[in-house]
Amino acid sequence: MKRREERNTFKKVMAIRGMGQVITVTFGLIVLCIVFGILNPTFFSNRNIANLLRQIAPILIIGIGQSYVLITGNIDLSIGSVVGMSCMLSATMMTKGINPWAAVFITYICCIAVGLINGQLVANCKLPPFIATLGTMTIARGIAQIVNNNYNTDSIGTAAKGFRDFFYYGKILGMFNTIWIAVVLWLIFNFILSKTRTGRHIYAIGSNIEASRLSGVNIISTTTTAYVVSSICACTVGLITCATSGMGTMDAGSGYEMYAVAASVIGGVSTLGGQGILLGTVIGASIWGVLQNGLQFAGAPVAIRNIVIGIIVVISVLLDVVVRTGRPRRKKERPVSNIEIKA
């Protein structure tokens, strides 16, 4: 009886969309940790583990946002620029004497506006997501540059100590606040995606948008929600970046769209939409962090690290395409009849 229950539980777990790939990449993560631990025993030191988790947290956060968008069958290229916009907006306001928490609130409003615009451009105006978010990516980066007259900001000063402690330096139960922020956001957005009607609609749109429309799903609202989640996550990472450096930098978030896609697709989120779970995004972000950290310990230059991660992303997407659609087949040419020739 117990064996049957265990088998049924296992079947239910494996029936979850994307769980198979999550288990596979988890095994890969364990192998990576063992290899880097053998190469350098300090990899498993308490200090390095704490730094590794704090390094993974921002990638997990933007990975959550990108996962929402990818599951709808779209993509958000503006996520890195929104990180930079968030960092520069908040830092500029703080250096001008605005209360840090008021600056945080205004920054969130501005970043959410970018998500709303992305959602409307893609779902309502029918623009391809690549083009729509490429445009907002450029606009957001321009805002990051112009907000302080094309200069990085000065130090946000001691008045923002509470802000810096909350987003980066503070600790709760021995863990840095950055890690707790990532955990809380993951719990909230995982609940929305897996337990609510909105989450079911997000999966439905990614699986078959026309069938979803006929079933009464609000395509515009659901797609916009996914892009707003992406912008909230990007804004949070921008605030973490600002708290980390104590200033605003115009190039903050550069390349983060790549990190977000890497965390998502390595963790099993399909670029074709309709498949993936946020548990996989945790594993994907962890693999990214372990690779960066482990290769750094091994003395590999930044270029090699980027090449390795890029190759892994391409392989992950390729495997997803092969599994979901099969190998592309050539269409058989239809024989031309005599009647068509005469015509």
Side-chain angles (χ1 to χ4, degrees):
M1 193 70 180
K2 288 183 179 179
R3 288 181 179 178
R4 287 182 180 178
E5 291 179 357
E6 289 175 358
R7 287 177 182 175
N8 290 334
T9 303
F10 179 74
K11 287 181 179 179
K12 288 180 181 178
V13 171
M14 293 304 296
I16 298 173
R17 287 174 290 189
M19 182 58 72
Q21 187 162 344
V22 171
I23 293 173
T24 303
V25 295
T26 300
F27 177 75
L29 175 62
I30 293 170
V31 171
L32 280 175
C33 290
I34 293 173
V35 169
F36 287 131
I38 293 173
L39 292 175
N40 194 327
T42 57
F43 179 82
F44 287 114
S45 66
N46 292 333
R47 183 176 180 180
N48 186 56
I49 294 297
N51 288 332
L52 179 60
L53 291 175
R54 192 158 57 163
Q55 184 180 8
I56 290 171
I59 305 306
L60 170 59
I61 294 171
I62 58 171
I64 291 170
Q66 191 69 271
S67 295
Y68 261 69
V69 177
L70 288 174
I71 291 172
T72 64
N74 298 302
I75 193 169
D76 186 1
L77 296 180
S78 69
I79 201 165
S81 294
V82 174
V83 170
M85 187 179 86
S86 168
C87 180
M88 281 298 295
L89 278 175
S90 57
T92 301
M93 284 187 279
M94 288 182 218
T95 55
K96 302 298 182 183
I98 295 176
N99 180 279
W101 301 112
V104 168
F105 178 76
I106 295 170
T107 301
Y108 268 112
I109 296 298
C110 294
C111 292
I112 288 172
V114 176
L116 290 170
I117 293 170
N118 281 335
Q120 290 300 308
L121 289 175
V122 172
N124 201 11
C125 300
K126 310 297 182 184
L127 286 181
F130 182 87
I131 300 300
T133 58
L134 185 65
T136 53
M137 176 185 78
T138 308
I139 293 169
R141 184 62 66 185
I143 293 172
Q145 292 166 342
I146 203 172
V147 71
N148 197 46
N149 297 319
N150 283 318
Y151 288 102
N152 294 333
T153 70
D154 297 326
S155 172
I156 57 179
T158 55
K161 185 179 183 302
F163 162 79
R164 298 188 72 183
D165 287 343
F166 179 84
F167 280 100
Y168 191 73
Y169 288 102
K171 284 185 177 182
I172 298 176
L173 299 177
M175 285 203 307
F176 288 106
N177 285 357
T178 308
I179 301 168
W180 286 113
I181 291 170
V183 170
V184 169
L185 288 177
W186 185 87
L187 289 172
I188 292 171
F189 290 128
N190 185 64
F191 176 81
I192 293 172
L193 192 62
S194 60
K195 302 294 183 182
T196 68
R197 180 183 296 178
T198 299
R200 290 192 292 273
H201 288 178
I202 286 172
Y203 279 109
I205 290 174
S207 297
N208 192 322
I209 190 169
E210 291 303 323
S212 301
R213 183 180 284 108
L214 294 173
S215 300
V217 175
N218 190 325
I219 305 298
I220 296 174
S221 175
T222 305
T223 303
T224 302
T225 297
Y227 276 107
V228 167
V229 169
S230 179
S231 291
I232 289 172
C233 292
C235 181
T236 304
V237 173
L239 294 171
I240 291 171
T241 304
C242 178
T244 304
S245 61
M247 61 182 292
T249 53
M250 293 183 293
D251 62 347
S254 294
Y256 272 42
E257 52 278 344
M258 171 63 181
Y259 302 156
V261 171
S264 301
V265 300
I266 291 172
V269 176
S270 175
T271 55
L272 303 177
Q275 183 172 308
I277 54 178
L278 293 189
L279 178 59
T281 307
V282 175
I283 306 301
S286 299
I287 287 177
W288 180 92
V290 167
L291 277 171
Q292 289 279 14
N293 188 274
L295 291 173
Q296 184 177 0
F297 267 110
V302 176
I304 297 298
R305 289 181 246 163
N306 290 336
I307 290 171
V308 170
I309 293 174
I311 291 172
I312 291 174
V313 170
V314 171
I315 292 173
S316 299
V317 175
L318 182 62
L319 288 175
D320 173 57
V321 171
V322 171
V323 170
R324 290 286 295 273
T325 65
R327 296 180 67 179
R329 299 177 181 177
R330 291 182 178 178
K331 293 182 178 179
K332 293 182 178 180
E333 293 184 2
R334 184 171 58 89
V336 182
S337 66
N338 294 329
I339 297 174
E340 290 175 328
I341 294 173
K342 290 177 181 179

